Amino acid sequence: VLKRHILMIRPATPDDLPAIRALLEALGLFEPEEVDEVTGMLAAYFDHAADSAELWFVDDSDGPVGIAPVGIAYVAPERMTDGTWNLYLIAVHPDHQKQGRGAALLHHVEDKLKAQGERVLLVETAGDKSFEYVWAFYEKSGFTQEARIREFYAAGVDKIIYRKTLGNSQIN
């Protein structure tokens, strides 16, 4: 398990875009147009970061070409709510998985949101059996399954929504 003090979690910068794109491609979970969409969202965020409540974080690692992002997390507020946020993306490069990086990124996001006084963090994932490791990750991280929308993504693939109270809510 990776020691927490070794992690280099920081806000993403425009210089991270090529490494983030490579990270997303290495995961093998995204179609090319989805990689384009995420990197486009991040580029747009940098154009308007001063006006945005969104948060993008990366986890750096020393590599053969220096320090580069090997993990990413993206969280944004839910519109028209008071203190509810969505974790839209959390990913770690396959070469750096199973080292505690995903848990550290998630903990970092939670700490930042708690410090801002936010109440609830939601995350959605697919209800396909190949995502059991994802469900286990969220459950181990203190999330509870809040809802399931049947056949959301495709025939036979539900959407599962997980919820975690951040400490500023009356409901647990």
Side-chain angles (χ1 to χ4, degrees), residues 10-170:
R10 60 173 174 78
T13 68
D15 292 340
D16 295 324
L17 277 170
I20 290 170
R21 180 176 194 83
L23 184 161
L24 295 172
E25 290 170 345
L27 290 169
L29 299 174
F30 299 101
E31 296 296 325
E33 61 273 7
E34 294 170 322
V35 172
D36 291 343
E37 172 98 9
V38 173
T39 54
M41 287 170 50
L42 184 53
Y45 163 76
F46 292 131
D47 290 341
H48 301 89
D51 302 325
S52 177
E54 300 173 1
L55 301 172
W56 290 82
F57 297 104
V58 294
D59 172 20
D60 286 334
S61 177
D62 288 318
V65 292
I67 295 177
V70 297
I72 185 168
Y74 166 51
V75 63
E78 179 68 34
R79 293 178 188 187
M80 297 190 295
T81 67
D82 178 23
T84 300
W85 284 63
N86 289 290
L87 178 65
Y88 287 117
L89 173 65
I90 187 166
V92 175
H93 191 285
D95 293 345
H96 298 274
Q97 292 177 357
K98 308 268 189 231
Q99 299 175 359
R101 290 181 181 278
L105 268 168
L106 181 56
H107 188 76
H108 185 82
V109 165
E110 291 172 4
D111 285 349
K112 291 292 182 187
L113 295 178
K114 286 177 188 176
Q116 291 177 194
E118 310 303 352
R119 300 176 312 106
V120 176
L121 182 58
L122 302 175
V123 63
E124 64 182 59
T125 188
D128 183 271
K129 289 284 186 190
S130 66
F131 282 78
E132 285 181 334
Y133 74 99
V134 174
W135 311 335
F137 170 75
Y138 290 122
E139 290 168 9
K140 183 178 178 184
S141 299
F143 285 78
T144 56
Q145 189 179 132
E146 186 74 11
R148 178 183 288 261
I149 302 171
R150 292 178 300 214
E151 311 246 341
F152 181 84
Y153 292 108
V157 184
D158 300 349
K159 171 169 129 174
I160 299 175
I161 301 169
Y162 283 90
R163 177 186 185 277
K164 184 173 185 178
T165 301
L166 297 173
N168 298 313
S169 175
Q170 301 295 328

